[in-house]
Structures are given as C-alpha cells and as structure tokens.
Amino acid sequence: MAPTTAGTTLAARRTAELGDRARVCGLYDALGAPLYHDLATYDDPETRALLTAVRTTPGPVLDLAAGSGRFTLPLLATGREVTALDLSADMLTLLRTELDRAPASMRARCTVVRGDMSRFALGRSFPHILLGTTSLSLLDEEGRAGLYRSVLAHLAEGGRFLLTVLERGDGDGPDETAVRVTGAGGTVYELYEHWPAGADSRTVTLLPADPPQDDSPVTVCTDRVAVLDLPRLEEELAASGLTITSRLPLSPPGERHHVTLLTTEASR
C-alpha cells in the first residue's frame, strides 16, 4: 500500500481517480445499501455470540438497527419470533426481499418496523433486545439517551439488552487500511478505513475493486461513524438505569477491530 500523503486519504485519492464517474453515497441509502448487504455475513463471532446468548432464554427478540437482516435472518432460522426495526427504508427493502425468499414459516415470525431506535414505541415487551456493532455510534449523546429509555420501556421482567461496542485494538497500527473483500454475489470490493488512534470517529469507504473500463458510473459508498469507547458507554448505561452483567471480548488481542459484547439488565 502506498503511504498516505499529508491531508489526503487513500480512499479520497481513489475516488478522485474515478473523476465524474464516482457516484458518492452513504452506506445505508438507495445506492449504498445493496453493496453493504452484499458484504453482510451471517457467520461471524459477533453473530454467533448473540445467537448463543439468546438461546439461554425463550421468547421473542427485538433486533434494533436490523438493516438487511444480519442478525434477524439467523435468529428466524433458529425458530425465534423477531421484530426488526430500522430507520433506513432502503435497508428494510433488502430485508423484505430476503424474507420473500425465505420459507413461509420464517416470514410469519418476522415483524418489520421502520422506526428510529432513539425513540420507538412498539406496545409490547421483549426478553431480548439486540444492537450490533457500530450502530450505537450512529447516535449522538441525546439520541443514545433516548435509545436507553426506549429499551428500558420495552424490556420484559428479567429481560436483557445485548449490545456490542467496537474499539481500536492496535494502538500502533496505521491510520488507514485498504483491503479487497468479496461479497456474497462474487463482486470484489475495495474497503478503506481511516481510523487514527484516539480519534473520535472513523471513515469507511467501499467501492467495486474492478469497475468497467468505460465511462459508466461507479458507486462509492462512504460514511463517517463516531467512535464510542467502552468506559464511556458503560458510564452511560449505568446512568440510564441499565446494569452490565457480563463483558465478553469477541476479538483476539491486538486486532485492529476489538469487539466486546455487553449483556445488561434493568437496574432494580
């Protein structure tokens, strides 16, 4: 990888090379959602850990920021009833498409809701509420406070709120990384992440690695995502009335992406 010049990221330089062909969008909108969905994985340490945690208690699951179904679909496959809530209509369209392809028994157990995870009212309670990595970072402090209030209002007696937090685990690693990844449909992508150690946000950029050699548009998905470290998150959870009952690291030491699964319950 060539070194990044001062003030210019590798992702920005790659986008500039495309010139007018670049169609810059967010990861979760109409252009970006299909690419994001193509890279979604249903068999990773985070998904497996959440499924294992949910198995300990029966009952329906509320999947917050469900997107195109990264957790929703595996949960349905285990026989659970799932309510999938997301604010992005484009992501939910992809989820509904996946459900249309699924067995009728799975479709019957899924309720899809377009809603804001920082303020939702579903009129029922759940023994399990889930929120996956990075989703919490999409909210500002006020939004997170609203999320915690909404979660508490929907937790069944003895219910658990399971959420994961992403931190940098390699303090001496490069500010920016660039890798080639292959989606479920066989498309190869370039995935850039600019995340200086100690920064309060990281920028993710995704685009096809081998666009056609013509003048056709090339989708370039990019989003800046806030970083919320574990100590601050734990303080917020405690202040909101949620007690942490377990902390489970999901990443080996020294990896750039350090993910921790938190299990919380309503403070009594």
PDB file of all heavy atoms in Angstrom, residues 48-69:
ATOM      1  N   ARG A  48     -22.529 -15.212  16.077  1.00  0.00           N
ATOM      2  CA  ARG A  48     -22.565 -16.462  16.842  1.00  0.00           C
ATOM      3  C   ARG A  48     -22.724 -16.191  18.337  1.00  0.00           C
ATOM      4  O   ARG A  48     -23.469 -16.891  19.027  1.00  0.00           O
ATOM      5  CB  ARG A  48     -21.299 -17.277  16.576  1.00  0.00           C
ATOM      6  CG  ARG A  48     -21.218 -17.824  15.150  1.00  0.00           C
ATOM      7  CD  ARG A  48     -20.147 -18.893  15.035  1.00  0.00           C
ATOM      8  NE  ARG A  48     -18.815 -18.374  15.271  1.00  0.00           N
ATOM      9  CZ  ARG A  48     -18.021 -17.863  14.335  1.00  0.00           C
ATOM     10  NH1 ARG A  48     -18.446 -17.770  13.087  1.00  0.00           N
ATOM     11  NH2 ARG A  48     -16.811 -17.429  14.621  1.00  0.00           N
ATOM     12  N   ALA A  49     -22.044 -15.166  18.851  1.00  0.00           N
ATOM     13  CA  ALA A  49     -22.141 -14.852  20.274  1.00  0.00           C
ATOM     14  C   ALA A  49     -23.543 -14.388  20.652  1.00  0.00           C
ATOM     15  O   ALA A  49     -24.080 -14.764  21.703  1.00  0.00           O
ATOM     16  CB  ALA A  49     -21.111 -13.781  20.641  1.00  0.00           C
ATOM     17  N   LEU A  50     -24.151 -13.568  19.807  1.00  0.00           N
ATOM     18  CA  LEU A  50     -25.505 -13.105  20.090  1.00  0.00           C
ATOM     19  C   LEU A  50     -26.506 -14.259  20.034  1.00  0.00           C
ATOM     20  O   LEU A  50     -27.402 -14.356  20.884  1.00  0.00           O
ATOM     21  CB  LEU A  50     -25.893 -12.003  19.106  1.00  0.00           C
ATOM     22  CG  LEU A  50     -25.230 -10.647  19.354  1.00  0.00           C
ATOM     23  CD1 LEU A  50     -25.455  -9.710  18.174  1.00  0.00           C
ATOM     24  CD2 LEU A  50     -25.765 -10.008  20.634  1.00  0.00           C
ATOM     25  N   LEU A  51     -26.375 -15.129  19.057  1.00  0.00           N
ATOM     26  CA  LEU A  51     -27.273 -16.277  18.976  1.00  0.00           C
ATOM     27  C   LEU A  51     -27.122 -17.178  20.199  1.00  0.00           C
ATOM     28  O   LEU A  51     -28.114 -17.683  20.740  1.00  0.00           O
ATOM     29  CB  LEU A  51     -26.987 -17.073  17.705  1.00  0.00           C
ATOM     30  CG  LEU A  51     -27.367 -16.416  16.379  1.00  0.00           C
ATOM     31  CD1 LEU A  51     -26.921 -17.297  15.218  1.00  0.00           C
ATOM     32  CD2 LEU A  51     -28.861 -16.170  16.298  1.00  0.00           C
ATOM     33  N   THR A  52     -25.899 -17.386  20.641  1.00  0.00           N
ATOM     34  CA  THR A  52     -25.655 -18.213  21.830  1.00  0.00           C
ATOM     35  C   THR A  52     -26.295 -17.583  23.062  1.00  0.00           C
ATOM     36  O   THR A  52     -26.928 -18.271  23.875  1.00  0.00           O
ATOM     37  CB  THR A  52     -24.152 -18.398  22.056  1.00  0.00           C
ATOM     38  OG1 THR A  52     -23.585 -19.093  20.946  1.00  0.00           O
ATOM     39  CG2 THR A  52     -23.881 -19.190  23.330  1.00  0.00           C
ATOM     40  N   ALA A  53     -26.144 -16.259  23.192  1.00  0.00           N
ATOM     41  CA  ALA A  53     -26.704 -15.569  24.358  1.00  0.00           C
ATOM     42  C   ALA A  53     -28.226 -15.645  24.373  1.00  0.00           C
ATOM     43  O   ALA A  53     -28.846 -15.818  25.423  1.00  0.00           O
ATOM     44  CB  ALA A  53     -26.242 -14.117  24.360  1.00  0.00           C
ATOM     45  N   VAL A  54     -28.837 -15.532  23.223  1.00  0.00           N
ATOM     46  CA  VAL A  54     -30.298 -15.548  23.136  1.00  0.00           C
ATOM     47  C   VAL A  54     -30.855 -16.939  23.433  1.00  0.00           C
ATOM     48  O   VAL A  54     -31.957 -17.072  23.976  1.00  0.00           O
ATOM     49  CB  VAL A  54     -30.745 -15.063  21.741  1.00  0.00           C
ATOM     50  CG1 VAL A  54     -32.210 -15.365  21.484  1.00  0.00           C
ATOM     51  CG2 VAL A  54     -30.490 -13.565  21.597  1.00  0.00           C
ATOM     52  N   ARG A  55     -30.096 -17.969  23.123  1.00  0.00           N
ATOM     53  CA  ARG A  55     -30.582 -19.338  23.318  1.00  0.00           C
ATOM     54  C   ARG A  55     -30.873 -19.660  24.783  1.00  0.00           C
ATOM     55  O   ARG A  55     -31.615 -20.602  25.073  1.00  0.00           O
ATOM     56  CB  ARG A  55     -29.566 -20.346  22.782  1.00  0.00           C
ATOM     57  CG  ARG A  55     -29.502 -20.432  21.269  1.00  0.00           C
ATOM     58  CD  ARG A  55     -28.738 -21.662  20.823  1.00  0.00           C
ATOM     59  NE  ARG A  55     -28.538 -21.663  19.384  1.00  0.00           N
ATOM     60  CZ  ARG A  55     -27.403 -21.318  18.788  1.00  0.00           C
ATOM     61  NH1 ARG A  55     -26.352 -20.972  19.524  1.00  0.00           N
ATOM     62  NH2 ARG A  55     -27.298 -21.335  17.471  1.00  0.00           N
ATOM     63  N   THR A  56     -30.295 -18.926  25.710  1.00  0.00           N
ATOM     64  CA  THR A  56     -30.441 -19.257  27.129  1.00  0.00           C
ATOM     65  C   THR A  56     -31.840 -18.995  27.648  1.00  0.00           C
ATOM     66  O   THR A  56     -32.222 -19.525  28.689  1.00  0.00           O
ATOM     67  CB  THR A  56     -29.433 -18.457  27.978  1.00  0.00           C
ATOM     68  OG1 THR A  56     -29.697 -17.049  27.823  1.00  0.00           O
ATOM     69  CG2 THR A  56     -28.012 -18.750  27.548  1.00  0.00           C
ATOM     70  N   THR A  57     -32.628 -18.167  26.949  1.00  0.00           N
ATOM     71  CA  THR A  57     -33.968 -17.811  27.411  1.00  0.00           C
ATOM     72  C   THR A  57     -34.913 -17.802  26.223  1.00  0.00           C
ATOM     73  O   THR A  57     -34.593 -17.227  25.186  1.00  0.00           O
ATOM     74  CB  THR A  57     -33.972 -16.415  28.067  1.00  0.00           C
ATOM     75  OG1 THR A  57     -32.950 -16.366  29.061  1.00  0.00           O
ATOM     76  CG2 THR A  57     -35.314 -16.123  28.720  1.00  0.00           C
ATOM     77  N   PRO A  58     -36.098 -18.393  26.369  1.00  0.00           N
ATOM     78  CA  PRO A  58     -37.056 -18.374  25.262  1.00  0.00           C
ATOM     79  C   PRO A  58     -37.698 -17.005  25.103  1.00  0.00           C
ATOM     80  O   PRO A  58     -37.527 -16.123  25.939  1.00  0.00           O
ATOM     81  CB  PRO A  58     -38.089 -19.421  25.682  1.00  0.00           C
ATOM     82  CG  PRO A  58     -38.036 -19.407  27.176  1.00  0.00           C
ATOM     83  CD  PRO A  58     -36.603 -19.148  27.529  1.00  0.00           C
ATOM     84  N   GLY A  59     -38.430 -16.846  24.012  1.00  0.00           N
ATOM     85  CA  GLY A  59     -39.196 -15.619  23.821  1.00  0.00           C
ATOM     86  C   GLY A  59     -38.767 -14.833  22.608  1.00  0.00           C
ATOM     87  O   GLY A  59     -37.735 -15.106  21.986  1.00  0.00           O
ATOM     88  N   PRO A  60     -39.574 -13.824  22.231  1.00  0.00           N
ATOM     89  CA  PRO A  60     -39.300 -13.021  21.039  1.00  0.00           C
ATOM     90  C   PRO A  60     -38.089 -12.115  21.215  1.00  0.00           C
ATOM     91  O   PRO A  60     -37.655 -11.827  22.336  1.00  0.00           O
ATOM     92  CB  PRO A  60     -40.579 -12.200  20.864  1.00  0.00           C
ATOM     93  CG  PRO A  60     -41.137 -12.097  22.243  1.00  0.00           C
ATOM     94  CD  PRO A  60     -40.818 -13.407  22.906  1.00  0.00           C
ATOM     95  N   VAL A  61     -37.560 -11.658  20.089  1.00  0.00           N
ATOM     96  CA  VAL A  61     -36.361 -10.820  20.071  1.00  0.00           C
ATOM     97  C   VAL A  61     -36.669  -9.527  19.324  1.00  0.00           C
ATOM     98  O   VAL A  61     -37.322  -9.544  18.278  1.00  0.00           O
ATOM     99  CB  VAL A  61     -35.191 -11.547  19.364  1.00  0.00           C
ATOM    100  CG1 VAL A  61     -33.942 -10.663  19.342  1.00  0.00           C
ATOM    101  CG2 VAL A  61     -34.901 -12.881  20.039  1.00  0.00           C
ATOM    102  N   LEU A  62     -36.185  -8.413  19.858  1.00  0.00           N
ATOM    103  CA  LEU A  62     -36.230  -7.128  19.160  1.00  0.00           C
ATOM    104  C   LEU A  62     -34.833  -6.837  18.633  1.00  0.00           C
ATOM    105  O   LEU A  62     -33.889  -6.702  19.411  1.00  0.00           O
ATOM    106  CB  LEU A  62     -36.694  -6.017  20.099  1.00  0.00           C
ATOM    107  CG  LEU A  62     -36.612  -4.578  19.565  1.00  0.00           C
ATOM    108  CD1 LEU A  62     -37.410  -4.416  18.277  1.00  0.00           C
ATOM    109  CD2 LEU A  62     -37.079  -3.584  20.624  1.00  0.00           C
ATOM    110  N   ASP A  63     -34.702  -6.767  17.326  1.00  0.00           N
ATOM    111  CA  ASP A  63     -33.420  -6.502  16.679  1.00  0.00           C
ATOM    112  C   ASP A  63     -33.405  -5.036  16.241  1.00  0.00           C
ATOM    113  O   ASP A  63     -34.078  -4.664  15.271  1.00  0.00           O
ATOM    114  CB  ASP A  63     -33.254  -7.440  15.479  1.00  0.00           C
ATOM    115  CG  ASP A  63     -31.899  -7.310  14.798  1.00  0.00           C
ATOM    116  OD1 ASP A  63     -31.014  -6.635  15.357  1.00  0.00           O
ATOM    117  OD2 ASP A  63     -31.734  -7.881  13.700  1.00  0.00           O
ATOM    118  N   LEU A  64     -32.657  -4.201  16.956  1.00  0.00           N
ATOM    119  CA  LEU A  64     -32.587  -2.782  16.652  1.00  0.00           C
ATOM    120  C   LEU A  64     -31.524  -2.518  15.582  1.00  0.00           C
ATOM    121  O   LEU A  64     -30.495  -3.186  15.545  1.00  0.00           O
ATOM    122  CB  LEU A  64     -32.249  -1.989  17.919  1.00  0.00           C
ATOM    123  CG  LEU A  64     -33.282  -2.050  19.049  1.00  0.00           C
ATOM    124  CD1 LEU A  64     -32.758  -1.312  20.281  1.00  0.00           C
ATOM    125  CD2 LEU A  64     -34.614  -1.459  18.603  1.00  0.00           C
ATOM    126  N   ALA A  65     -31.772  -1.492  14.737  1.00  0.00           N
ATOM    127  CA  ALA A  65     -30.883  -1.210  13.607  1.00  0.00           C
ATOM    128  C   ALA A  65     -30.641  -2.492  12.833  1.00  0.00           C
ATOM    129  O   ALA A  65     -29.513  -2.855  12.506  1.00  0.00           O
ATOM    130  CB  ALA A  65     -29.573  -0.581  14.087  1.00  0.00           C
ATOM    131  N   ALA A  66     -31.736  -3.177  12.521  1.00  0.00           N
ATOM    132  CA  ALA A  66     -31.667  -4.523  11.942  1.00  0.00           C
ATOM    133  C   ALA A  66     -31.077  -4.533  10.542  1.00  0.00           C
ATOM    134  O   ALA A  66     -30.575  -5.565  10.085  1.00  0.00           O
ATOM    135  CB  ALA A  66     -33.063  -5.145  11.916  1.00  0.00           C
ATOM    136  N   GLY A  67     -31.163  -3.408   9.823  1.00  0.00           N
ATOM    137  CA  GLY A  67     -30.616  -3.353   8.480  1.00  0.00           C
ATOM    138  C   GLY A  67     -31.259  -4.368   7.551  1.00  0.00           C
ATOM    139  O   GLY A  67     -32.472  -4.572   7.564  1.00  0.00           O
ATOM    140  N   SER A  68     -30.443  -5.052   6.783  1.00  0.00           N
ATOM    141  CA  SER A  68     -30.956  -6.031   5.817  1.00  0.00           C
ATOM    142  C   SER A  68     -31.065  -7.428   6.411  1.00  0.00           C
ATOM    143  O   SER A  68     -31.319  -8.386   5.684  1.00  0.00           O
ATOM    144  CB  SER A  68     -30.053  -6.055   4.582  1.00  0.00           C
ATOM    145  OG  SER A  68     -28.712  -6.365   4.937  1.00  0.00           O
ATOM    146  N   GLY A  69     -30.863  -7.554   7.731  1.00  0.00           N
ATOM    147  CA  GLY A  69     -31.146  -8.825   8.381  1.00  0.00           C
ATOM    148  C   GLY A  69     -29.964  -9.640   8.841  1.00  0.00           C
ATOM    149  O   GLY A  69     -30.076 -10.854   9.012  1.00  0.00           O
TER     150      GLY A  69
END
